């Protein structure tokens, strides 16, 4: 169950990253990071982390989206500073702040090799499930009036392409890359079902 709780935290963190970036890019354009509410110094730290990752990677692709180099608490800052853009999807700000605070504590425990107690594992899965369900229902209602269909949250491949509902051309992701016979491509797909 430890791995399951850690995965739930990671999945909801990345779902929030995608949702925040997509929402703010629609509002502010491609330079949304300059207007997202975090300091220029924080954005410089994100850029430095991305550059470090590029230097360290010998093979494979690095995560191209800058928000993936932000600290977890940066996500809370961005949400709070831009809450009017997220309230329809996420509901009450105070509740989300409490959820993110709890997830951050549990995330830190896992990052430092400390096992979560059983009740914390259930709490992590519950909070992550609650946030994911809110976002899935919100996205569903953007497409249809129904909120009970399963949704793909994001898709990544081994050469660095990423698709989220906020990015791309609808259900398409045009990469302009050419695959040849015997090329091998791995995919990671994150999806969930609001009805479990």
């Amino acid at each position: 169950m430890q791995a399951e709780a850690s995965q739930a935290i990671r999945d909801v963190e990345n779902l929030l990253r995608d949702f925040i970036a997509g929402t703010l890019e629609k509002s502010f354009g491609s330079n949304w990071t300059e207007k997202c509410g975090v300091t220029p110094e924080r954005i410089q730290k994100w850029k430095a982390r991305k550059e470090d990752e590029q230097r360290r990677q010998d093979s494979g692709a690095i995560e191209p989206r800058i928000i993936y180099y932000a600290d977890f608490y940066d996500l809370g800052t961005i949400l709070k500073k831009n809450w009017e853009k997220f309230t329809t999807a996420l509901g009450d700000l105070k509740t989300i702040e409490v959820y993110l605070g709890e997830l951050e504590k549990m995330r830190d425990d896992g990052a430092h090799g400390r096992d979560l107690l059983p009740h914390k594992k259930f709490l992590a899965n519950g909070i992550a499930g609650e946030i994911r369900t809110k976002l899935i229902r919100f996205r569903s209602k953007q497409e249809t009036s129904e909120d009970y269909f399963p949704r793909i949250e994001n898709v990544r491949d081994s050469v660095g392409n990423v698709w989220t509902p906020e990015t791309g051309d609808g259900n398409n992701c045009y990469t302009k890359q050419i695959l040849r016979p015997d090329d091998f491509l791995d995919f990671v797909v994150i999806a969930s079902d609001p009805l479990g």
Side-chain angles (χ1 to χ4, degrees):
M1 189 184 301
Q2 179 71 29
E4 187 180 303
S6 296
Q7 185 65 49
I9 293 169
R10 199 167 31 257
D11 287 348
V12 78
E13 178 180 353
N14 289 338
L15 176 63
L16 282 169
R17 289 177 191 279
D18 294 340
F19 187 67
I20 288 168
T23 301
L24 294 183
E25 188 168 345
K26 285 179 185 170
S27 293
F28 299 133
S30 60
N31 63 340
W32 67 267
T33 55
E34 297 169 13
K35 301 173 186 175
C36 71
V38 298
T39 65
E41 294 79 22
R42 295 297 311 149
I43 294 169
Q44 280 307 114
K45 285 189 179 200
W46 304 354
K47 290 177 180 177
R49 286 182 186 143
K50 184 176 181 182
E51 290 169 7
D52 287 346
E53 184 70 15
Q54 286 173 322
R55 279 192 293 275
R56 281 193 312 240
Q57 283 291 340
D58 292 337
S59 63
I62 68 154
E63 173 59 58
R65 296 165 293 173
I66 192 71
I67 195 157
Y68 274 75
Y69 300 92
D71 286 308
F72 189 81
Y73 63 82
D74 289 329
L75 303 181
T77 300
I78 294 169
L79 287 171
K80 189 172 184 175
K81 299 269 181 158
N82 298 279
W83 189 246
E84 72 283 354
K85 293 172 180 35
F86 300 105
T87 187
T88 304
L90 293 171
D92 179 57
L93 174 61
K94 292 293 181 196
T95 302
I96 292 299
E97 287 179 319
V98 169
Y99 286 170
L100 294 181
E102 289 301 314
L103 287 176
E104 185 171 10
K105 287 185 243 175
M106 291 182 277
R107 181 184 182 273
D108 287 347
D109 283 346
H112 294 99
R114 296 185 296 268
D115 285 341
L116 294 176
L117 294 171
H119 70 279
K120 291 288 188 173
K121 293 174 190 174
F122 286 113
L123 182 60
N125 283 316
I127 291 172
E130 182 70 16
I131 293 171
R132 287 177 78 182
T133 299
K134 285 178 179 289
L135 290 178
I136 290 164
R137 286 187 169 168
F138 173 76
R139 287 173 169 165
S140 293
K141 287 183 178 177
Q142 302 303 301
E143 297 169 18
T144 70
S145 61
E146 309 300 332
D147 63 359
Y148 51 81
F149 292 110
R151 291 286 183 241
I152 294 175
E153 296 171 0
N154 79 49
V155 179
R156 295 184 327 252
D157 68 25
S158 55
V159 293
N161 298 302
V162 180
W163 176 90
T164 68
E166 288 79 28
T167 62
D169 176 20
N171 294 325
N172 301 308
C173 178
Y174 299 104
T175 65
K176 298 183 182 170
Q177 291 178 316
I178 298 171
L179 293 176
R180 293 179 173 57
D182 296 325
D183 283 351
F184 190 77
L185 197 59
D186 289 317
F187 289 94
V188 175
V189 179
I190 306 295
S192 61
D193 179 355
L195 301 179

